[in-house]
Amino acid sequence: MQKLLREPLLHFLLLGAAIFVAYSFVSKGGSGEPEQIVITQGQIVNLAVGFAKTWDRPPTAEELAGLIRDRVREEVYYREALALDLHKDDTIIRRRLRQKMEFVSDDIAVQREPTDAELTAYLQAHPDKFRVEPRFTFRQVYLNPQKHGSNLAHDAAQLLVQLNQAGDQADLSAMGDALMLEPAFDAVPTSKVEKQFGETFATKLGGLQLGQWQGPVESGYGVHLVKVSARTEGSLPALAKVRGAVRREWNNARQLEANEKFYQQLLKRYTVTIEQPGPTAQVKKLGQAP
């Protein structure tokens, strides 16, 4: 008997019986009359269009009939699943329904064309989103602290003299120690310098005089001798140069604002109770301080 109770087939049959009983119970609640399923011409056109997009050709009559039969099957299963409340507490269905409501909210928040005054005000209020970074054109020679040990400062000073004497004729590939980074960088933004050398190096770069070798300058790798030949200061561009980006950000901000208003209006229809841990359940409305 115990062996029989452990059989997967028995479990399957019991589960099927449970669903059948639940289905029978739900069905008894109905009028007994068959429900109407109508496949409209619009739905048939959509089925044909969907097929054509997938297969790059229209469906044959037989294929279209198959699509319609499958649509009917889907509708039957959909209605019966709803009758059995199979959609409740399904995470995927909940997320999909939330997504569809957010699409509705997006449609409600009809976008309008912003005025120049609105875009200018947004640009001035959010300068960090549109500011042009400082850029540097520089060359660097690397010195490995582990290789030079206590002679690092002395070796750096000697190499600095050689570099300034050689000027533009200096063969950087033959000077200093090996490093996976390039010796020359042209008009690179500060963020890229920080990413490759570190924030300390990028900050020091902004304070070096132009046109001469200087250093040592520390980085995440060790120390460098550096010659900055050009530096472009960061600035907030005029609206004409960043109009597209400002317009996108402005629209996005308005969309988020409209979506939040839509949600807050919906939320007013509900009293939200969040049970708190403890022997006595505490009740509070969403948004109240704990």
Side-chain angles (χ1 to χ4, degrees), residues 68-280:
I68 295 172
R69 285 195 299 272
D70 190 64
R71 181 69 178 81
V72 172
R73 180 185 294 268
E74 177 184 278
E75 184 65 22
V76 170
Y77 278 132
Y78 168 72
R79 294 190 187 187
E80 296 302 325
L82 288 180
L84 291 171
D85 288 338
L86 298 183
H87 60 293
K88 292 185 176 178
D89 298 326
D90 187 305
T91 302
I92 295 176
I93 293 176
R94 291 172 63 89
R95 287 176 181 171
R96 180 57 180 157
L97 291 176
R98 172 184 172 175
Q99 187 182 45
K100 297 189 83 169
M101 284 300 295
E102 290 175 342
F103 287 158
V104 171
S105 174
D106 290 343
D107 290 340
I108 292 175
V110 178
Q111 296 296 316
R112 63 174 177 81
E113 193 64 27
T115 65
D116 279 4
E118 289 173 323
L119 293 180
T120 300
Y122 189 85
L123 175 62
Q124 296 296 330
H126 305 85
D128 292 341
K129 291 185 176 181
F130 310 101
R131 190 184 303 280
V132 176
E133 292 184 71
R135 290 178 175 269
F136 300 94
T137 296
F138 67 95
R139 294 190 291 172
Q140 60 87 22
V141 174
Y142 170 65
L143 291 173
N144 186 339
Q146 294 183 348
K147 182 176 181 179
H148 294 271
S150 60
N151 294 323
L152 179 61
H154 176 265
D155 293 346
Q158 281 195 328
L159 184 56
L160 189 60
V161 172
Q162 295 175 25
L163 286 166
N164 280 316
Q165 288 177 344
D168 293 336
Q169 305 303 317
D171 181 7
L172 301 186
S173 63
M175 307 178 83
D177 300 321
L179 183 65
M180 57 183 174
L181 298 179
E182 295 293 330
F185 293 82
D186 293 327
V188 290
T190 301
S191 59
K192 187 173 181 180
V193 176
E194 291 176 348
K195 185 176 181 180
Q196 297 198 4
F197 292 90
E199 292 184 10
T200 300
F201 183 92
T203 300
K204 291 287 182 63
L205 215 59
L208 296 180
Q209 294 182 354
L210 301 180
Q212 68 180 61
W213 284 95
Q214 298 164 85
V217 178
E218 295 183 359
S219 77
Y221 304 100
V223 298
H224 307 253
L225 302 179
V226 183
K227 181 180 180 180
V228 180
S229 56
R231 178 169 51 228
T232 303
E233 300 297 336
S235 63
L236 184 62
L239 176 61
K241 293 186 177 180
V242 290
R243 178 183 296 277
V246 176
R247 185 176 180 277
R248 284 193 299 274
E249 291 294 330
W250 185 91
N251 280 334
N252 185 54
R254 298 289 81 74
Q255 185 79 61
L256 292 175
E257 181 181 335
N259 289 346
E260 182 60 22
K261 286 183 179 177
F262 178 69
Y263 168 68
Q264 291 299 333
Q265 287 297 322
L266 296 178
L267 185 60
K268 290 179 180 177
R269 303 179 184 178
Y270 300 88
T271 298
V272 181
T273 301
I274 301 175
E275 292 185 353
Q276 303 298 308
T280 303

